[in-house]
Amino acid sequence: MNASLRRRLPVILAVAVLLLAAGMRFHQLGAQSLWNDEGNSVVQAGRDLAAIAEHAARDIHPPGYYFLLAGWRALTGDSEFALRALSALASVLSVAFTFSLGRRLYGAWAGLIAALFVALNTFSIYYAQEARMYALLALLGAAGIWALVGLVKRPHWRWAVVLGLINAAGLYTHYAYPFLILVQGLLVLLRLLQLLRGQPLAALNLLGQFVLSAGVTALLFLPLAPTALAQVSSWPST
């Protein structure tokens, strides 16, 4: 095997893993009828954006997924396959982000193995075939850590804005997303402690960029914050 092929082999195999993930998620995607919670998604997606926000305020889930599904439904139709395809696509993209994240941190082969684990993960496959927000939540979680690694490696306002946008989208998707932001904060704290030992200016720059990211997220989430606080604090099964 020549050196060029050896370098490209993990990427070629990663494409194969993505195709495997897509096949497992799109296979018989519309075979079963919609169940109760999926029916709620369809009803929400049939409303205009203002009505979606109003009705989501009475639910434990924020309106972000329903906004996205409404646009998706307008483009693809309202068959079981079409409605679930958004989740299937999000799940496949989470495999792609996992490969990219693993490659950034530990190399292409590590990324490939991690992507294969996600591609074969039964929870990932199950929720990829459901017209609910959980596959999108997983995608945004992976994308958030991917953007965080970019910010930590090369602190810059562009990475800060990207991370802020992803985290805002996560908060609009599921009220459990703050736990992922907490993980991001812990990882940044560990990196700051490393930098403070010999690179205090670099630590200050990273801290400033992460604060900028948090500011972008907070600004975008501000309109939903009162509703989110009320729902999370008063929902019976929280």
PDB file of all heavy atoms in Angstrom, residues 86-103:
ATOM      1  N   LEU A  86     -35.877  13.719   8.845  1.00  0.00           N
ATOM      2  CA  LEU A  86     -35.104  14.782   9.496  1.00  0.00           C
ATOM      3  C   LEU A  86     -34.259  14.211  10.627  1.00  0.00           C
ATOM      4  O   LEU A  86     -33.074  14.534  10.762  1.00  0.00           O
ATOM      5  CB  LEU A  86     -36.058  15.855  10.027  1.00  0.00           C
ATOM      6  CG  LEU A  86     -35.414  16.994  10.822  1.00  0.00           C
ATOM      7  CD1 LEU A  86     -34.399  17.750   9.972  1.00  0.00           C
ATOM      8  CD2 LEU A  86     -36.495  17.954  11.345  1.00  0.00           C
ATOM      9  N   SER A  87     -34.865  13.348  11.449  1.00  0.00           N
ATOM     10  CA  SER A  87     -34.113  12.717  12.541  1.00  0.00           C
ATOM     11  C   SER A  87     -33.040  11.785  12.004  1.00  0.00           C
ATOM     12  O   SER A  87     -31.927  11.728  12.538  1.00  0.00           O
ATOM     13  CB  SER A  87     -35.073  11.936  13.446  1.00  0.00           C
ATOM     14  OG  SER A  87     -35.948  12.801  14.115  1.00  0.00           O
ATOM     15  N   ALA A  88     -33.368  11.027  10.950  1.00  0.00           N
ATOM     16  CA  ALA A  88     -32.383  10.108  10.366  1.00  0.00           C
ATOM     17  C   ALA A  88     -31.173  10.877   9.843  1.00  0.00           C
ATOM     18  O   ALA A  88     -30.019  10.472  10.055  1.00  0.00           O
ATOM     19  CB  ALA A  88     -33.027   9.297   9.250  1.00  0.00           C
ATOM     20  N   LEU A  89     -31.432  11.987   9.163  1.00  0.00           N
ATOM     21  CA  LEU A  89     -30.335  12.804   8.637  1.00  0.00           C
ATOM     22  C   LEU A  89     -29.501  13.386   9.773  1.00  0.00           C
ATOM     23  O   LEU A  89     -28.262  13.371   9.717  1.00  0.00           O
ATOM     24  CB  LEU A  89     -30.898  13.923   7.773  1.00  0.00           C
ATOM     25  CG  LEU A  89     -29.873  14.903   7.187  1.00  0.00           C
ATOM     26  CD1 LEU A  89     -28.861  14.182   6.308  1.00  0.00           C
ATOM     27  CD2 LEU A  89     -30.578  16.019   6.415  1.00  0.00           C
ATOM     28  N   ALA A  90     -30.165  13.873  10.812  1.00  0.00           N
ATOM     29  CA  ALA A  90     -29.439  14.417  11.962  1.00  0.00           C
ATOM     30  C   ALA A  90     -28.547  13.352  12.592  1.00  0.00           C
ATOM     31  O   ALA A  90     -27.402  13.627  12.994  1.00  0.00           O
ATOM     32  CB  ALA A  90     -30.423  14.963  12.991  1.00  0.00           C
ATOM     33  N   SER A  91     -29.041  12.126  12.675  1.00  0.00           N
ATOM     34  CA  SER A  91     -28.266  11.043  13.272  1.00  0.00           C
ATOM     35  C   SER A  91     -27.042  10.694  12.429  1.00  0.00           C
ATOM     36  O   SER A  91     -25.953  10.448  12.963  1.00  0.00           O
ATOM     37  CB  SER A  91     -29.151   9.809  13.446  1.00  0.00           C
ATOM     38  OG  SER A  91     -28.482   8.805  14.161  1.00  0.00           O
ATOM     39  N   VAL A  92     -27.196  10.685  11.113  1.00  0.00           N
ATOM     40  CA  VAL A  92     -26.054  10.427  10.233  1.00  0.00           C
ATOM     41  C   VAL A  92     -25.019  11.540  10.387  1.00  0.00           C
ATOM     42  O   VAL A  92     -23.805  11.281  10.450  1.00  0.00           O
ATOM     43  CB  VAL A  92     -26.514  10.304   8.767  1.00  0.00           C
ATOM     44  CG1 VAL A  92     -25.302  10.211   7.831  1.00  0.00           C
ATOM     45  CG2 VAL A  92     -27.394   9.077   8.588  1.00  0.00           C
ATOM     46  N   LEU A  93     -25.464  12.770  10.476  1.00  0.00           N
ATOM     47  CA  LEU A  93     -24.543  13.896  10.645  1.00  0.00           C
ATOM     48  C   LEU A  93     -23.814  13.814  11.990  1.00  0.00           C
ATOM     49  O   LEU A  93     -22.656  14.232  12.096  1.00  0.00           O
ATOM     50  CB  LEU A  93     -25.296  15.218  10.542  1.00  0.00           C
ATOM     51  CG  LEU A  93     -25.799  15.589   9.146  1.00  0.00           C
ATOM     52  CD1 LEU A  93     -26.627  16.861   9.193  1.00  0.00           C
ATOM     53  CD2 LEU A  93     -24.628  15.767   8.176  1.00  0.00           C
ATOM     54  N   SER A  94     -24.466  13.261  13.006  1.00  0.00           N
ATOM     55  CA  SER A  94     -23.782  13.094  14.294  1.00  0.00           C
ATOM     56  C   SER A  94     -22.624  12.111  14.173  1.00  0.00           C
ATOM     57  O   SER A  94     -21.596  12.258  14.844  1.00  0.00           O
ATOM     58  CB  SER A  94     -24.770  12.646  15.372  1.00  0.00           C
ATOM     59  OG  SER A  94     -25.206  11.314  15.153  1.00  0.00           O
ATOM     60  N   VAL A  95     -22.767  11.115  13.312  1.00  0.00           N
ATOM     61  CA  VAL A  95     -21.658  10.189  13.038  1.00  0.00           C
ATOM     62  C   VAL A  95     -20.506  10.937  12.371  1.00  0.00           C
ATOM     63  O   VAL A  95     -19.335  10.748  12.719  1.00  0.00           O
ATOM     64  CB  VAL A  95     -22.138   9.020  12.156  1.00  0.00           C
ATOM     65  CG1 VAL A  95     -20.969   8.097  11.797  1.00  0.00           C
ATOM     66  CG2 VAL A  95     -23.229   8.227  12.851  1.00  0.00           C
ATOM     67  N   ALA A  96     -20.839  11.810  11.427  1.00  0.00           N
ATOM     68  CA  ALA A  96     -19.803  12.596  10.734  1.00  0.00           C
ATOM     69  C   ALA A  96     -19.066  13.507  11.703  1.00  0.00           C
ATOM     70  O   ALA A  96     -17.826  13.617  11.658  1.00  0.00           O
ATOM     71  CB  ALA A  96     -20.438  13.405   9.608  1.00  0.00           C
ATOM     72  N   PHE A  97     -19.793  14.178  12.593  1.00  0.00           N
ATOM     73  CA  PHE A  97     -19.145  15.058  13.573  1.00  0.00           C
ATOM     74  C   PHE A  97     -18.286  14.255  14.537  1.00  0.00           C
ATOM     75  O   PHE A  97     -17.229  14.726  14.971  1.00  0.00           O
ATOM     76  CB  PHE A  97     -20.195  15.858  14.337  1.00  0.00           C
ATOM     77  CG  PHE A  97     -20.545  17.172  13.689  1.00  0.00           C
ATOM     78  CD1 PHE A  97     -21.730  17.320  12.987  1.00  0.00           C
ATOM     79  CD2 PHE A  97     -19.687  18.260  13.762  1.00  0.00           C
ATOM     80  CE1 PHE A  97     -22.051  18.516  12.380  1.00  0.00           C
ATOM     81  CE2 PHE A  97     -19.997  19.470  13.164  1.00  0.00           C
ATOM     82  CZ  PHE A  97     -21.189  19.606  12.467  1.00  0.00           C
ATOM     83  N   THR A  98     -18.725  13.057  14.879  1.00  0.00           N
ATOM     84  CA  THR A  98     -17.928  12.213  15.768  1.00  0.00           C
ATOM     85  C   THR A  98     -16.596  11.846  15.117  1.00  0.00           C
ATOM     86  O   THR A  98     -15.539  11.876  15.774  1.00  0.00           O
ATOM     87  CB  THR A  98     -18.704  10.938  16.131  1.00  0.00           C
ATOM     88  OG1 THR A  98     -19.914  11.294  16.781  1.00  0.00           O
ATOM     89  CG2 THR A  98     -17.879  10.049  17.049  1.00  0.00           C
ATOM     90  N   PHE A  99     -16.630  11.508  13.830  1.00  0.00           N
ATOM     91  CA  PHE A  99     -15.379  11.209  13.123  1.00  0.00           C
ATOM     92  C   PHE A  99     -14.467  12.420  13.116  1.00  0.00           C
ATOM     93  O   PHE A  99     -13.264  12.317  13.409  1.00  0.00           O
ATOM     94  CB  PHE A  99     -15.672  10.769  11.690  1.00  0.00           C
ATOM     95  CG  PHE A  99     -14.432  10.657  10.835  1.00  0.00           C
ATOM     96  CD1 PHE A  99     -13.542   9.614  11.029  1.00  0.00           C
ATOM     97  CD2 PHE A  99     -14.145  11.621   9.872  1.00  0.00           C
ATOM     98  CE1 PHE A  99     -12.383   9.516  10.262  1.00  0.00           C
ATOM     99  CE2 PHE A  99     -13.000  11.526   9.101  1.00  0.00           C
ATOM    100  CZ  PHE A  99     -12.114  10.476   9.299  1.00  0.00           C
ATOM    101  N   SER A 100     -15.011  13.576  12.779  1.00  0.00           N
ATOM    102  CA  SER A 100     -14.194  14.789  12.715  1.00  0.00           C
ATOM    103  C   SER A 100     -13.613  15.140  14.083  1.00  0.00           C
ATOM    104  O   SER A 100     -12.440  15.527  14.195  1.00  0.00           O
ATOM    105  CB  SER A 100     -15.042  15.950  12.189  1.00  0.00           C
ATOM    106  OG  SER A 100     -14.291  17.134  12.118  1.00  0.00           O
ATOM    107  N   LEU A 101     -14.409  14.983  15.128  1.00  0.00           N
ATOM    108  CA  LEU A 101     -13.945  15.275  16.482  1.00  0.00           C
ATOM    109  C   LEU A 101     -12.836  14.323  16.901  1.00  0.00           C
ATOM    110  O   LEU A 101     -11.800  14.739  17.433  1.00  0.00           O
ATOM    111  CB  LEU A 101     -15.124  15.187  17.447  1.00  0.00           C
ATOM    112  CG  LEU A 101     -14.848  15.427  18.927  1.00  0.00           C
ATOM    113  CD1 LEU A 101     -14.280  16.815  19.137  1.00  0.00           C
ATOM    114  CD2 LEU A 101     -16.133  15.238  19.740  1.00  0.00           C
ATOM    115  N   GLY A 102     -13.036  13.026  16.667  1.00  0.00           N
ATOM    116  CA  GLY A 102     -12.002  12.055  17.015  1.00  0.00           C
ATOM    117  C   GLY A 102     -10.715  12.285  16.252  1.00  0.00           C
ATOM    118  O   GLY A 102      -9.612  12.154  16.808  1.00  0.00           O
ATOM    119  N   ARG A 103     -10.834  12.650  14.967  1.00  0.00           N
ATOM    120  CA  ARG A 103      -9.646  12.915  14.162  1.00  0.00           C
ATOM    121  C   ARG A 103      -8.885  14.125  14.683  1.00  0.00           C
ATOM    122  O   ARG A 103      -7.652  14.125  14.718  1.00  0.00           O
ATOM    123  CB  ARG A 103     -10.039  13.121  12.699  1.00  0.00           C
ATOM    124  CG  ARG A 103      -8.838  13.342  11.786  1.00  0.00           C
ATOM    125  CD  ARG A 103      -9.214  13.312  10.324  1.00  0.00           C
ATOM    126  NE  ARG A 103     -10.136  14.380   9.957  1.00  0.00           N
ATOM    127  CZ  ARG A 103     -10.496  14.654   8.702  1.00  0.00           C
ATOM    128  NH1 ARG A 103     -10.023  13.917   7.700  1.00  0.00           N
ATOM    129  NH2 ARG A 103     -11.331  15.627   8.444  1.00  0.00           N
TER     130      ARG A 103
END
